[in-house]
Amino acid sequence: MREASVIAPRSLREALRAVGRKGVVAVAGGTDLLVRLHDVAAGERPSFLVLDGVRTLHSIAPRGKGLALGPLVTFSEIERSSLLRTLAPQLVEAASVAGSVQIRNRATLGGNIANGSPAGDLLPPLYVLSARLELSYSGGRRQVMIEDFFKGPGETVLRRNELITRVVFERSQNRGFFLRLAVRRALAISKVSVAANVSLRNGRVQSVRIALGAVAPTVLRASRTEEYLLGRELDRDSIETACGLASGEAAPIDDIRSEADYRREMVGVLLGRGLLRIASAR
Amino acid sequence: MKLKFTVNRRATTLEVTGAERVIDLLRERLGLVGTKEGCGKGECGACTVLLDGSPVCSCLLLSSQVAGREITTIEGLSEGESLHPVQAAFAETGAVQCGFCTPGLVLSSAALLADIPAPSREQMKRALAGNLCRCTGYQKIFEAVELASRNMRREKRRRR
Amino acid sequence: MAVVGRRVRRVESLDRVKGVGSFTDDLTYAGMLHAAVVRSPVARARIKHIETGRALRRAGAEAVFTFQDIPGRNVVPIILEDQPFLAEEYVNYVGEPIAVVLASERETARAAAKEVSVRLEELPPILDLLKARRHPRVHLFGEDNVFKHLRIRRGDTAAAFSSCDVIVENEYRTPYQEHAYIEPEAMIAIPHPDGTIEIRGSMQCPFYVRKAVTSVLGLPESRVWVVQAATGGAFGGKEDVPSLLACQVALPAWKLKKPVKLVYDRTEDMVSTSKRHPSWVRYKSGATRDGVLKAVEVEYVIDGGAYSTLSPAVLYRGTVHAAGPYRCDNVKVDSYVVATNRVPTGAFRGFGSPQILFAAESQMDQLAERLGLHPAELRRRNLLRAGDTTITGQKLTVSVGLEETLDRVLEASGWPTGQKRDDGVGYGLSTVFYGVGLGAAGKHLARTGARVIVHADGSVTFSVGTTELGQGMTTVLSQIVSEELGTPLECVQMIAPDTSRVPDSGPTVASRSTTMSGNALKDACGKIRDVLLAEASRALRIPVSDLRIVEGAIVPAKEEGPSMPIDEAIKSCTTARLPLSAEGWHVSTSTSWDDRTGQGDAYVTYAWATNLAKVRVDRETGEVTVLKMWAAHDVGKAVNPTLAEGQIEGGILQGLGFALTENMFTDERGVIVNPDFSTYIIPTAADSPEIVSLLVEHPYPDGPHGAKGFGEQPLMGVAPAVANAVRDAVGVRITELPITPEKIWNALRSSRRVPVTQR
Ligand SMILES: Cc1cc2nc3c(=O)[nH]c(=O)nc-3n(C[C@H](O)[C@H](O)[C@H](O)COP(=O)(O)OP(=O)(O)OC[C@H]3O[C@@H](n4cnc5c(N)ncnc54)[C@H](O)[C@@H]3O)c2cc1C
């Protein structure tokens, strides 16, 4: 038996030196990790690499035309950031409906990504904002597009010796949304979610990105739907067709939260609601 | 490691591994048993404490994560025998039934009122959704927050 | 009346808002060990071998106990005595206790418990309640796996149906409901050098706990001393289960001569403790064109799980409430509680009635629809009034305020009766009733003791055998004592329920604490009053019959005249060495039940209620938003209206959970797959609608100040009101709880395929 110990670095360098060590696991807000370890006795727990103290990982800053967020930015900080409210409204909407105040005060962006749940609420917004992740290790770093980061539920390309150190994304186009359905009004994991980032020009869709949450092993881009919408006017017919297409792109399952058929159809319903909102906001 | 932090306005130093849950530290090492454990997974909010004034679940918090920070538990919300206006209002409106969730709800309500002095029902619901209560149906808790809000604002006006 | 009827502050609320530590897990004792329970991982198996070596080698582990260590009887004594305290040869459900592990730290005990390896030979389980009855191969209880079968035979249903103009027949299902009290089950045992053992914990029924510990340790009742600690919610979930925990700590504490504490982990609690019985109902009702309910036929099957625990009593309440609060001359009810290899189910607010009332009240709305009557009108034509007879043949004489509850709800809600708008908004009604107390099934337990002591300084302590669970009993009883003795409320103190202070007073269940303990206290206070009045009479020279106690003074009943402050009377009695302490005792009026016909005076009296739900249903997503709830309850007398409203509001929200989200799933091997709060979905503050509670008071002459018990009733009619509202809103009828968006969406989808002919 090994006593659980803690490494609490003050700098990124220190953190990166520790992360690859055997039996060490990084902890940000702990809202996923400590739940997972609930039944593991102290003696069998890994050593915690507590990231809190690395100040540079907490920042929210403009970068070029977009933004760069540190992985330790919490849901609450996202919710309250006026910068994000204008530049990434989808992300703000997602952060503000997740969990509870207590959870949002601790849960982090990086944790949501690294945890790799297809129901992670920040992920669909990050997909539609074309987020790039900076993964660092002792002596180097690499960039990965968010879509290439996930391999399956809870599985990512993050290597054992790496940390997510930055999340960079474009500013949102003129229109976007995040909508979800969950089993109750608060404190609930999404059973289906849809995020979009749309720009219109002369009433036509100039660019569009749509991502679907909790309806496949990973978050999914609805690429056929996007293709269809490109260049079209957002009217009743095009929206209806888009909803049908998006439903078809989802690959949901039955589980204790919901049913596959329902989820598939709800993808269309939520997308329709979001697109209608955009169409009528003109 | 030596953990230095502030608990209920008092500078505190403890010898810790750094991996203990804060709830265990509070209940077992500091005897602050007003913080309750209902699930150990951040779902019920009975273990809510204020970390630098913001509600968090102390069951999902490691001791090393509170170094240099300030924790307020239910025992520290009021000073001496006097009650915090939220505590008084909870007793007054009948917002307490079994009382197990009460410390967490009182702290969440106090944090809400510090942030938004006159919250709407919707704002209350959002702020308190992380504290499960199985007895009250929450109605009298909302009434308590409203009462405390009125009393705190009146008190503030009086002081000016 | 000075104190009774007033909205006085709950007496323990000042402690609770300060977080003062009085719950079980807040208590520690020198040398205390922690227990953890080794449980069955499978639904049914024969135990081949229990290997404890590895667990014992873990640092900090102290001991492991199995059934072989039990000095007394290995049985949990409740009704049928079929449940072992620790499994011997067989395990019959996932989570069944097999052994208890002790260690110096809780975490160590839990880790060591995982290291006890139990070799099992798995056997095929029964997991479906409908397959249990007369299962061809698996016999879990008796020949037919039926713990209990109850019947009601009244009139001639076959003949009556043939004269009905409309008949509605349907099947209904309801799932497990988990109590989800926020404080998990917890217990401590403290052995004393004098050969007694003290048990402190979270519980509803100290006398049940005493009986269990006595039986398992083989001790006389005089040596087992049970005290209730502050209890963080119960709802029925701490009725029989604490007996198990008590034995799980008492056995090791007794053997090791050390205090032992056990607190269940939330998941362990959800997996292994009792819940509301899942149910299946086939319900047939018939009415004539003029809206008279003519006949009801019900087959009701509930899943009792592996052992009978309280199931026979649960079934009894369900059976009596099977037809709802209506007159009906032709009734046939067959109800069964069956054995399966699932966790034993038990008491939960409503005790077998919410399931059947979901069916009964859904039926009423369908009859109304078919008859073209407003749901309130059909109910009004059939509801029970004073002078009517219930389906068990009980004649109702007084305290029947059902119609007034209906009127009050209709009046307060302004339920629009005009043309229905197609806006997804709907209203749903339910009228229900609640048999107060244990009824004929628990007749032998229907007695309660109390003890009151008036001290020389005028302060008063009292003890009762029923418990505070958050429902407000302490406050209500303190109000009654204050009222009876004329002592200010601040001077009245209740002592924590303690089996050494009062005689066996039965359980705190069946909404009985106000009426039973209230009456026992009145009895005790009456004896003290006699002494005080006699003393005042001597001093004032006024006959006792002309004196009364009013707000702190003994005054002449009639005109002006000399009076005597209570304090002075007390002092005077003390000086005269007169006894100012007394025992009180109360026995319920009698009830009866004929097992063959289901006829008799099933309960001493009934509480009555009407619920109205206003919902909005999103046609696209199937999501239900409860916009507002109205509930009126005839409680006889609201001793404290704030507390009574608290019962209504809390019961409604639990009822909404039952109606809309709460469900517990077991997989094909009998393992509960959602035993935590992120997957077992109870309502949060954000899910709580506006609730209007209305109190109706038709006094019950045998209740203290006219009060009747009603704490369970607020939950009972919520689910059918919601189901009826959903039907009103979007035209689909959901007959299986919970009413999820998925079910509504599926129903809407199929109703779109088949054009709706008749609504
Ligand atoms: C009650 C409750 C409700 C919840 N509700 C929601 C909800 O509605 N929506 C939702 O999306 N989620 C929800 N969650 C899940 C959780 O809060 C989020 O996924 C959160 O974003 C996790 O962040 P964290 O900082 O707490 O992660 P942690 O638990 O600290 O870490 C999670 C994982 O990520 C790794 N990790 C963390 N940071 C980094 C990094 N910088 N680099 C590499 N690896 C890293 C950790 O090693 C660990 O494996 C809920 C959780 C709880 C307990």
Side-chain angles (χ1 to χ4, degrees):
Chain A
M1 240 177 22
R2 194 170 34 78
E3 255 319 294
S5 68
V6 158
I7 309 157
R10 299 255 130 215
S11 72
L12 184 58
R13 268 218 2 235
E14 266 180 84
L16 292 177
R17 262 207 307 272
V19 68
R21 276 196 234 145
K22 197 167 154 20
V24 170
V25 49
V27 53
T31 60
D32 276 319
L33 187 66
L34 297 185
V35 172
R36 227 162 32 231
L37 294 178
H38 177 76
D39 293 325
V40 180
E44 279 99 51
R45 289 185 167 200
S47 296
F48 294 119
L49 175 65
V50 172
L51 297 177
D52 267 16
V54 185
R55 293 316 310 168
T56 54
L57 300 181
H58 288 267
S59 68
I60 301 182
R63 147 121 29 136
K65 279 192 187 157
L67 279 160
L69 304 193
L72 295 185
V73 170
T74 64
F75 282 47
S76 291
E77 285 161 350
I78 292 174
E79 197 183 339
R80 287 167 186 246
S81 158
S82 48
L83 193 62
L84 287 173
R85 192 166 292 277
T86 44
L87 299 187
Q90 305 89 333
L91 196 65
V92 174
E93 279 179 65
S96 62
V97 295
S100 62
V101 174
Q102 289 92 325
I103 297 301
R104 294 194 294 273
N105 281 338
R106 294 295 302 163
T108 67
L109 172 67
N112 204 243
I113 298 169
N115 194 51
S117 159
D121 281 320
L122 301 187
L123 306 182
L126 292 174
Y127 270 64
V128 303
L129 295 169
S130 309
R132 234 172 335 112
L133 309 180
E134 178 189 273
L135 312 181
S136 304
Y137 47 93
S138 225
R141 62 175 162 225
R142 58 184 180 130
Q143 310 262 342
V144 175
M145 290 304 293
I146 187 126
E147 282 163 62
D148 302 327
F149 185 72
F150 301 101
K151 296 197 288 191
E155 284 175 58
T156 70
V157 302
L158 190 75
R159 297 188 192 118
R160 250 177 28 91
N161 63 344
E162 288 176 329
L163 286 177
I164 301 170
T165 45
R166 202 162 300 286
V167 182
V168 182
F169 48 84
E170 301 169 354
R171 62 174 295 171
S172 177
Q173 299 300 328
N174 41 11
R175 301 203 149 96
F177 63 84
F178 171 82
L179 292 170
R180 74 168 198 167
L181 295 178
V183 285
R184 65 185 158 198
R185 250 154 247 282
L187 200 68
I189 305 295
S190 292
K191 50 188 185 188
V192 46
S193 66
V194 178
N197 186 12
V198 183
S199 73
L200 299 177
R201 189 176 211 166
N202 303 327
R204 287 180 187 280
V205 174
Q206 190 187 25
S207 74
V208 55
R209 281 168 168 271
I210 298 166
L212 316 177
V215 290
T218 66
V219 171
L220 207 67
R221 274 280 294 286
S223 358
R224 275 184 289 131
T225 313
E226 292 172 1
E227 247 165 65
Y228 166 80
L229 282 170
L230 216 54
R232 273 178 216 273
E233 266 183 62
L234 282 185
D235 54 27
R236 220 158 249 296
D237 283 350
S238 68
I239 291 176
E240 198 169 307
T241 309
C243 293
L245 281 171
S247 287
E249 292 192 73
I253 53 164
D254 287 337
D255 62 16
I256 54 170
R257 291 202 178 87
S258 191
E259 296 164 12
D261 283 356
Y262 176 81
R263 283 181 155 130
R264 192 174 298 114
E265 177 111 350
M266 289 309 115
V267 163
V269 170
L270 293 184
L271 180 65
R273 287 182 180 180
L275 291 178
L276 267 179
R277 204 162 87 183
I278 292 175
S280 54
R282 269 185 298 166
Chain B
M1 61 184 266
K2 258 206 173 37
L3 172 68
K4 290 190 174 173
F5 65 139
T6 305
V7 181
N8 297 334
R9 294 178 296 275
R10 185 176 301 167
T12 306
T13 308
L14 286 178
E15 189 56 43
V16 298
T17 69
E20 305 88 344
R21 304 184 309 165
V22 168
I23 186 173
D24 296 331
L25 219 56
L26 294 171
R27 287 180 57 87
E28 286 161 26
R29 301 279 298 276
L30 299 172
L32 298 169
V33 294
T35 305
K36 307 298 180 192
E37 178 158 4
C39 72
K41 293 183 179 175
E43 294 151 1
C44 77
C47 68
T48 299
V49 298
L50 304 183
L51 180 62
D52 296 331
S54 301
V56 298
C57 290
S58 61
C59 73
L60 296 183
L61 202 55
L62 300 175
S63 61
S64 48
Q65 293 180 311
V66 300
R69 305 185 67 173
E70 183 173 351
I71 284 188
T72 308
T73 70
I74 190 68
E75 290 89 348
L77 192 62
S78 52
E79 277 177 274
E81 282 299 289
S82 70
L83 294 178
H84 184 281
V86 172
Q87 290 173 311
F90 265 62
E92 204 52 49
T93 61
V96 180
Q97 285 196 23
C98 82
F100 196 80
C101 68
T102 304
L105 270 157
V106 166
L107 287 165
S108 290
S109 303
L112 167 67
L113 292 176
D115 194 21
I116 308 172
S120 65
R121 279 272 162 123
E122 277 316 305
Q123 287 170 319
M124 286 182 213
K125 288 183 173 187
R126 239 177 95 67
L128 303 182
N131 292 89
L132 297 180
C133 166
R134 190 61 156 169
C135 295
T136 63
Y138 304 103
Q139 305 296 307
K140 300 215 178 315
I141 292 172
F142 300 148
E143 288 167 28
V145 176
E146 275 157 10
L147 177 63
S149 157
R150 280 198 303 279
N151 289 342
M152 287 166 80
R153 281 177 294 142
R154 185 176 316 127
E155 181 63 13
K156 209 163 160 194
R157 276 198 303 275
R158 211 176 52 83
R159 288 234 184 100
R160 269 207 222 111
Chain C
M1 277 193 270
V3 192
V4 164
R6 257 181 42 207
R7 295 177 177 270
V8 303
R9 188 169 61 200
R10 173 187 293 270
V11 296
E12 70 278 20
S13 56
L14 289 182
D15 284 350
R16 297 291 191 271
V17 297
K18 289 191 270 190
V20 169
S22 43
F23 292 94
T24 307
D25 197 21
D26 304 341
L27 309 173
T28 22
Y29 295 84
M32 187 173 80
L33 298 176
H34 294 267
V37 180
V38 179
R39 298 178 181 282
S40 172
V42 301
R44 184 161 172 251
R46 184 194 301 271
I47 299 176
K48 305 297 264 189
H49 180 68
I50 303 173
E51 173 53 48
T52 60
R54 208 174 123 224
L56 283 169
R57 282 193 297 276
R58 176 176 274 270
E62 297 259 340
V64 180
F65 294 102
T66 66
F67 75 93
Q68 281 166 323
D69 302 298
I70 295 171
R73 297 168 62 216
N74 184 20
V75 61
V76 185
I78 306 178
I79 298 175
L80 298 179
E81 306 215 330
D82 55 332
Q83 181 179 18
F85 152 54
L86 290 173
E88 292 189 9
E89 199 184 344
Y90 294 98
V91 284
N92 281 308
Y93 65 96
V94 175
E96 179 160 7
I98 296 173
V100 184
V101 179
L102 283 299
S104 49
E105 302 287 334
R106 180 176 301 161
E107 250 196 31
T108 314
R110 285 180 180 173
K114 285 189 204 149
E115 289 167 345
V116 172
S117 75
V118 183
R119 218 164 54 213
L120 298 162
E121 175 196 328
E122 280 199 58
L123 300 167
I126 304 179
L127 299 171
D128 181 339
L129 84 163
L130 291 183
K131 293 195 181 126
R133 259 188 299 169
R134 294 180 288 276
H135 193 283
R137 289 174 307 280
V138 185
H139 301 288
L140 303 174
F141 187 90
E143 285 299 298
D144 53 2
N145 296 326
V146 174
F147 288 127
K148 185 88 186 168
H149 170 200
L150 287 173
R151 343 172 158 66
I152 292 179
R153 299 286 183 268
R154 183 175 176 76
D156 179 349
T157 47
F161 277 122
S162 65
S163 71
C164 285
D165 299 305
V166 293
I167 292 174
V168 171
E169 188 167 3
N170 253 316
E171 282 181 22
Y172 299 86
R173 273 176 181 271
T174 65
Y176 279 134
Q177 186 179 21
E178 159 61 33
H179 305 88
Y181 32 67
I182 308 299
E183 180 209 26
E185 306 269 359
M187 199 68 64
I188 301 178
I190 310 130
H192 292 295
D194 62 0
T196 60
I197 183 162
E198 176 186 345
I199 311 285
R200 277 182 193 265
S202 186
M203 66 179 82
Q204 285 177 240
C205 308
F207 298 98
Y208 282 7
V209 167
R210 184 176 68 182
K211 190 169 168 197
V213 172
T214 313
S215 150
V216 165
L217 294 187
L219 290 176
E221 292 192 335
S222 56
R223 285 167 64 189
V224 178
W225 172 33
V226 183
V227 184
Q228 185 210 15
T231 295
F235 316 113
K238 294 173 182 173
E239 177 170 355
D240 59 320
V241 174
S243 298
L244 274 174
L245 277 99
C247 294
Q248 288 158 359
V249 289
L251 174 66
W254 187 250
K255 292 266 174 176
L256 300 171
K257 299 289 168 237
K258 284 183 179 175
V260 174
K261 187 199 274 190
L262 172 61
V263 180
Y264 282 0
D265 173 68
R266 174 61 58 184
T267 291
E268 175 181 28
D269 192 309
M270 285 193 168
V271 166
S272 73
T273 70
S274 76
K275 328 198 173 305
R276 188 184 303 293
H277 292 68
S279 79
W280 173 90
V281 186
R282 192 203 306 277
Y283 209 116
K284 183 176 174 186
S285 2
T288 47
R289 201 165 295 121
D290 53 354
V292 175
L293 183 64
K294 275 283 172 217
V296 163
E297 241 176 54
V298 183
E299 187 182 357
Y300 180 39
V301 185
I302 59 177
D303 181 348
Y307 300 106
S308 62
T309 67
L310 295 155
S311 287
V314 170
L315 191 73
Y316 174 77
R317 185 172 287 279
T319 306
V320 172
H321 290 73
Y326 308 109
R327 289 184 304 272
C328 187
D329 292 333
N330 303 286
V331 179
K332 182 168 177 243
V333 181
D334 280 285
S335 49
Y336 305 85
V337 54
V338 299
T340 62
N341 292 104
R342 308 216 292 169
V343 60
T345 41
F348 192 160
R349 204 176 200 168
F351 212 65
S353 71
Q355 299 96 315
I356 196 102
L357 287 168
F358 168 59
E361 284 298 283
S362 297
Q363 290 283 113
M364 281 307 270
D365 260 40
Q366 291 168 77
L367 282 178
E369 218 173 292
R370 297 274 301 280
L371 290 163
L373 282 174
H374 190 273
E377 182 52 33
L378 177 67
R379 285 175 174 82
R380 193 183 294 284
R381 290 188 192 177
N382 293 286
L383 50 78
L384 287 164
R385 296 178 175 83
D388 287 341
T389 304
T390 69
I391 62 162
T392 71
Q394 181 171 1
K395 180 129 169 127
L396 301 170
T397 51
V398 285
S399 195
V400 189
L402 180 56
E403 188 162 24
E404 189 181 335
T405 66
L406 177 63
D407 289 335
R408 291 282 299 280
V409 162
L410 294 178
E411 186 188 297
S413 63
W415 182 357
T417 43
Q419 191 59 41
K420 225 194 109 36
R421 291 194 307 164
D422 195 25
D423 53 0
V425 172
Y427 288 80
L429 190 69
S430 73
T431 46
V432 300
F433 69 138
Y434 175 80
V436 176
L438 298 162
K443 212 156 124 174
H444 55 295
L445 297 170
R447 74 294 190 246
T448 306
R451 179 163 193 83
V452 179
I453 304 176
V454 176
H455 304 285
D457 61 359
S459 64
V460 179
T461 49
F462 72 90
S463 326
V464 292
T466 52
T467 48
E468 173 67 52
L469 309 163
Q471 84 280 38
M473 181 199 77
T474 311
T475 309
V476 164
L477 295 183
S478 299
Q479 285 178 266
I480 290 174
V481 169
S482 161
E483 183 80 34
E484 292 300 314
L485 294 177
T487 317
L489 190 62
E490 314 80 73
C491 300
V492 176
Q493 180 70 42
M494 190 184 91
I495 308 290
D498 175 334
T499 55
S500 70
R501 284 174 187 264
V502 285
D504 189 343
S505 299
T508 301
V509 301
S511 311
R512 71 191 279 275
S513 57
T514 299
T515 50
M516 295 298 289
S517 288
N519 273 330
L521 283 167
K522 278 190 71 171
D523 182 36
C525 291
K527 293 173 187 168
I528 296 173
R529 279 168 67 109
D530 288 348
V531 178
L532 288 170
L533 288 173
E535 186 63 10
S537 160
R538 215 174 42 77
L540 300 172
R541 296 170 195 286
I542 302 175
V544 167
S545 55
D546 289 348
L547 289 173
R548 33 186 216 124
I549 300 183
V550 174
E551 294 183 49
I554 298 176
V555 300
K558 295 187 197 104
E559 301 112 50
E560 298 287 286
S563 69
M564 187 178 201
I566 279 283
D567 282 3
E568 213 173 286
I570 291 169
K571 266 200 209 94
S572 173
C573 289
T574 313
T575 315
R577 292 177 295 170
L578 293 169
L580 286 182
S581 78
E583 289 257 357
W585 190 245
H586 177 71
V587 177
S588 287
T589 42
S590 96
T591 49
S592 59
W593 179 261
D594 177 339
D595 235 350
R596 257 173 335 101
T597 60
Q599 297 294 292
D601 291 346
Y603 290 95
V604 292
T605 190
Y606 297 84
W608 312 93
T610 298
N611 301 284
L612 182 67
K614 180 183 181 186
V615 307
R616 186 185 317 109
V617 181
D618 184 323
R619 281 179 192 280
E620 286 180 317
T621 65
E623 290 186 301
V624 177
T625 306
V626 180
L627 299 170
K628 195 164 177 176
M629 294 285 308
W630 293 263
H633 289 256
D634 172 14
V635 303
K637 168 77 191 173
V639 177
N640 184 327
T642 302
L643 298 181
E645 287 162 10
Q647 287 300 299
I648 297 178
E649 293 158 4
I652 284 185
L653 203 64
Q654 265 180 1
L656 287 175
F658 185 49
L660 294 169
T661 57
E662 295 182 33
N663 199 354
M664 211 160 231
F665 305 90
T666 30
D667 68 11
E668 67 288 349
R669 305 190 58 208
V671 179
I672 289 173
V673 298
N674 58 329
D676 58 43
F677 281 140
S678 67
T679 46
Y680 182 78
I681 305 298
I682 68 172
T684 69
D687 302 284
S688 176
E690 188 187 340
I691 296 170
V692 178
S693 5
L694 306 161
L695 296 169
V696 170
E697 301 185 324
H698 286 230
Y700 164 51
D702 291 337
H705 302 274
K708 321 185 253 200
F710 90 110
E712 292 169 81
Q713 188 170 248
L715 178 146
M716 288 164 34
V718 176
V722 171
N724 291 339
V726 166
R727 167 73 185 178
D728 187 44
V730 291
V732 297
R733 162 122 347 246
I734 307 298
T735 54
E736 181 180 356
L737 297 182
I739 304 170
T740 59
E742 285 78 1
K743 284 181 196 151
I744 293 176
W745 177 77
N746 277 312
L748 281 168
R749 196 162 57 152
S750 39
S751 72
R752 269 197 292 273
R753 278 198 211 109
V754 197
V756 190
T757 45
Q758 201 184 4
R759 270 248 6 235

